[in-house]
Amino acid sequence: MDLVIRDVRVLDGTGGASYRADVSLDGGRIAAVVREGGGRRPTARRTLDAGGLALSPGFIDMHAHSDLALLRDPAHEAKAAQGVTLEVLGQDGLSYAPVDDRTLAQVRQAITGWNGGGPGDTSLDFDWRTVGGYLDRLDHGFDGQGIAVNAAYLVPQGTVRMYAVGWDDRDATPAELARMKRLVAEGLEQGAVGMSSGLTYTPGMYAKDAELTELCRVVASYDGYYCPHHRSYGAGALDAYEEMIDLTRTAGCALHLAHATMNFGVNKGRAADLLALLDDAIAAGADISLDTYPYTPGSTTLVAMLPSWANEGGPEATLARLRDDETAERIRHHVEELGSDGCHGVPIEWDTIEISGVADPALASGVGKTVARAAAERAEAPWATARRLLLDDRLGSTILQHVGHEENVRAIMRHPVHTGGSDGILQGDKPHPRAYGTFPHYLGHYARELGVLSLEECVAHLTGRPAARLRLPDRGLVREGYRADLVLFDPDTVAAGSTFEAPRTLPVGIPHVLIDGRFVIEDGRRTDVLAGRAVRRTP
């Protein structure tokens, strides 16, 4: 054997009681799991004494925004140090494949706040155009060695609509719908595990339910799943959840609800209403799962707060509207008084909007301040400050939105179909700490300190359950024959180091992480191993 881990507490990913065992690895897989007193102890070329550590499957980040970070940063400690061994990319309906040259240029500008990679960024060669080409690029990684962690991909419906229809707020023609269905099918055939949407982001939000249903029928035919950022997390949240349940029921498609929160003042204490809706649908036969991050604030781009009509036509059209005083005043009226669809139907409260990152370093003085505070320092109205930032940063600014409720966070994470997703934006000087802390925060704060979940159940939410959603036949459990994607952590000390004040601090209590039986993190330090690959849909 290559390695035996001696006398370790195994949390196997099922949620069942932990047990002590020797676990041996060989050829990148788990070769043997010998429970204490269960027979002859395995031997290997190398022995690691667990010394009070727990062993679990590698954590699966069901909602990641590492689409370019994995190709730019070989260390990728933000995720590797957390014990993440697989990330699901292509989220919120916007990513970099499938594209043509026009669409690629547009999507690069539209989501530069999420991933960098804007029009002026020359750090990457965007040499792919198809989903298969992007997955091949991940496989190649750095000098053919691979990437830091494994990655799966969702076909982004907004990008598909951008490609086939453009940025117009209108129904797709029959020919355009046929082209979108073909693009989704090709992406799934090339290895995508499902399809995502961002239904508060343009242009994906312009799709009506009938169009989305037709695309979901394609996803269902490949046994994939639909992962929508649905139409509202605020004033219309429950209606938006119900819309997605009804849509996927009609399409016969599995549903995974992205960052399934209940935010804004209108939803305080209403997690029970969401969970009852899910329970009724599941009891009626729906295949539903969800992910959340264990924090109250959200994170997105500042431009996402604008009404959808202000973003019609693409980023350059948005900038033109912001430059025009009359149109900008109309935007302000929708954002501040009516409640724009970009802000989930809730009038914006500028003291909850914290600037977390800018594309232009010359604007960095505003990072860490709320828009309300930055405006007060300039003795101007908050909208004037926000408008100037959008224009000067060419829509590249990211924000934290402090609108969540702790009781909702805890209630939703207890649900049996819950999984973990960081929704981690790695860009910006002051990103959300969830990018560096989601998984140890679950284990340390919510399991050990608060007891919201038992440690065994918490691990299952982060490993076995997401692997089942992804239809992965040999990942997510500590089981003989499964891939040796594993985490060794100290249950007594594991914790997120990242905070809102110091968001890029690495976690503690996770000394070892293995992918394919190779140490990605060893003795608390990142090795030079690049064992990650694209994980393609299992036919």
Side-chain angles (χ1 to χ4, degrees):
M1 302 295 176
D2 294 330
L3 172 70
V4 61
I5 304 169
R6 288 268 187 234
D7 192 28
V8 69
R9 177 185 174 186
V10 176
L11 299 118
D12 64 7
T14 66
S18 61
Y19 55 87
R20 304 205 74 80
D22 292 344
V23 178
S24 62
L25 315 180
D26 194 54
R29 293 189 178 267
I30 299 171
V33 180
V34 180
R35 297 196 184 212
E36 187 175 45
R40 183 178 177 181
R41 305 185 77 176
T43 59
R45 284 182 287 277
R46 178 180 175 184
T47 298
L48 176 64
D49 187 346
L53 298 176
L55 177 75
S56 81
F59 306 134
I60 298 176
D61 189 342
M62 287 295 288
H63 193 104
H65 289 285
S66 303
D67 305 48
L68 300 185
L70 277 168
L71 296 174
R72 185 186 290 118
D73 175 16
H76 198 46
E77 286 185 295
K79 296 302 178 67
Q82 292 186 62
V84 171
T85 58
L86 171 60
E87 299 183 89
V88 184
L89 313 177
Q91 299 288 347
D92 295 327
L94 290 167
S95 191
Y96 305 94
V99 293
D100 56 11
D101 291 350
R102 171 189 60 83
T103 307
L104 177 60
Q106 291 176 336
V107 77
R108 284 180 65 180
Q109 182 170 355
I111 56 174
T112 185
W114 290 357
N115 300 315
D121 187 341
T122 60
S123 64
L124 283 175
D125 180 6
F126 289 80
D127 56 356
W128 65 86
R129 293 297 180 269
T130 65
V131 169
Y134 175 68
L135 296 178
D136 289 344
R137 182 72 176 81
L138 291 174
D139 276 339
H140 178 76
F142 297 90
D143 297 324
Q145 297 180 67
I147 49 180
V149 304
N150 297 308
Y153 190 74
L154 297 164
V155 179
Q157 170 261 330
T159 300
V160 166
R161 195 173 215 272
M162 195 187 307
Y163 192 158
V165 180
W167 290 80
D168 296 337
D169 183 2
R170 63 171 175 82
D171 292 343
T173 67
E176 289 166 342
L177 178 58
R179 189 180 191 194
M180 286 190 283
K181 291 170 69 175
R182 189 163 58 251
L183 288 168
V184 171
E186 289 171 354
L188 290 159
E189 288 167 1
Q190 293 163 13
V193 295
M195 180 180 76
S196 74
S197 284
L199 299 179
T200 66
Y201 299 125
T202 54
M205 70 188 301
Y206 298 141
K208 293 189 174 70
D209 284 1
E211 179 180 312
L212 295 171
T213 300
E214 286 302 304
L215 298 181
C216 282
R217 291 187 198 279
V218 175
V219 175
S221 71
Y222 288 90
D223 200 26
Y225 68 93
Y226 180 44
C227 179
H229 164 130
H230 50 272
R231 298 192 194 275
S232 176
Y233 290 83
L238 286 176
D239 289 341
Y241 281 115
E242 189 168 14
E243 176 191 9
M244 295 299 100
I245 292 169
D246 291 344
L247 186 157
T248 49
R249 180 186 291 118
T250 300
C253 185
L255 173 64
H256 180 84
L257 295 165
H259 37 60
T261 57
M262 291 289 285
N263 286 341
F264 302 92
V266 295
N267 289 317
K268 184 176 175 60
R270 299 195 68 192
D273 297 335
L274 167 61
L275 300 180
L277 179 67
L278 297 180
D279 287 340
D280 289 346
I282 292 167
D287 182 0
I288 299 176
S289 56
L290 59 87
D291 65 68
T292 69
Y293 46 84
Y295 299 88
T296 51
S299 179
T300 188
T301 55
L302 181 58
V303 68
M305 298 292 101
L306 304 187
S308 57
W309 60 261
N311 285 312
E312 187 176 2
E316 291 302 327
T318 302
L319 289 166
R321 292 186 182 101
L322 287 165
R323 291 188 194 101
D324 180 76
D325 289 343
E326 184 176 341
T327 309
E329 170 56 24
R330 185 178 167 215
I331 295 172
R332 184 209 63 79
H333 177 68
H334 277 75
V335 168
E336 292 189 342
E337 298 177 35
L338 299 182
S340 76
D341 47 5
C343 194
H344 308 278
V346 178
I348 202 162
E349 297 175 353
W350 293 112
D351 60 350
T352 70
I353 305 297
E354 179 184 350
I355 304 162
S356 60
V358 290
D360 183 350
L363 303 171
S365 62
V367 172
K369 300 175 183 177
T370 65
V371 172
R373 177 184 164 193
E377 291 177 356
R378 299 178 66 97
E380 64 184 8
W383 168 247
T385 298
R387 179 189 177 192
R388 180 183 296 105
L389 182 57
L390 287 164
L391 286 168
D392 291 350
D393 208 25
R394 293 187 58 79
L395 313 182
S397 306
T398 52
I399 60 170
L400 302 182
Q401 193 170 19
H402 296 270
V403 292
H405 307 288
E406 179 65 19
E407 65 272 32
N408 287 347
V409 170
R410 297 187 192 186
I412 293 169
M413 75 170 63
R414 291 189 184 100
H415 197 275
V417 302
H418 169 267
T419 66
S422 71
D423 196 12
I425 294 174
L426 300 170
Q427 290 295 113
D429 293 328
K430 197 169 180 282
H432 197 302
R434 67 194 186 192
Y436 283 73
T438 286
F439 295 88
H441 199 49
Y442 267 121
L443 296 169
H445 183 61
Y446 285 97
R448 182 182 66 243
E449 295 176 2
L450 299 181
V452 174
L453 297 166
S454 70
L455 189 60
E456 289 88 347
E457 186 70 7
C458 186
V459 166
H461 284 230
L462 308 181
T463 60
R465 291 182 188 175
R469 165 51 72 218
L470 294 168
R471 308 279 199 264
L472 301 178
D474 59 355
R475 300 178 194 264
L477 300 176
V478 178
R479 185 168 290 175
E480 292 178 1
Y482 275 52
R483 290 185 179 271
D485 295 353
L486 301 167
V487 181
L488 281 149
F489 66 92
D490 185 343
D492 295 328
T493 64
V494 63
S498 59
T499 64
F500 287 98
E501 292 72 30
R504 296 186 187 276
T505 308
L506 297 178
V508 297
I510 304 179
H512 304 294
V513 181
L514 300 96
I515 295 178
D516 257 11
R518 301 166 66 193
F519 283 94
V520 173
I521 301 290
E522 187 171 14
D523 295 324
R525 292 184 295 274
R526 179 71 173 95
T527 70
D528 61 0
V529 168
L530 295 168
R533 298 292 185 274
V535 175
R536 290 168 167 82
R537 183 185 62 85
T538 303

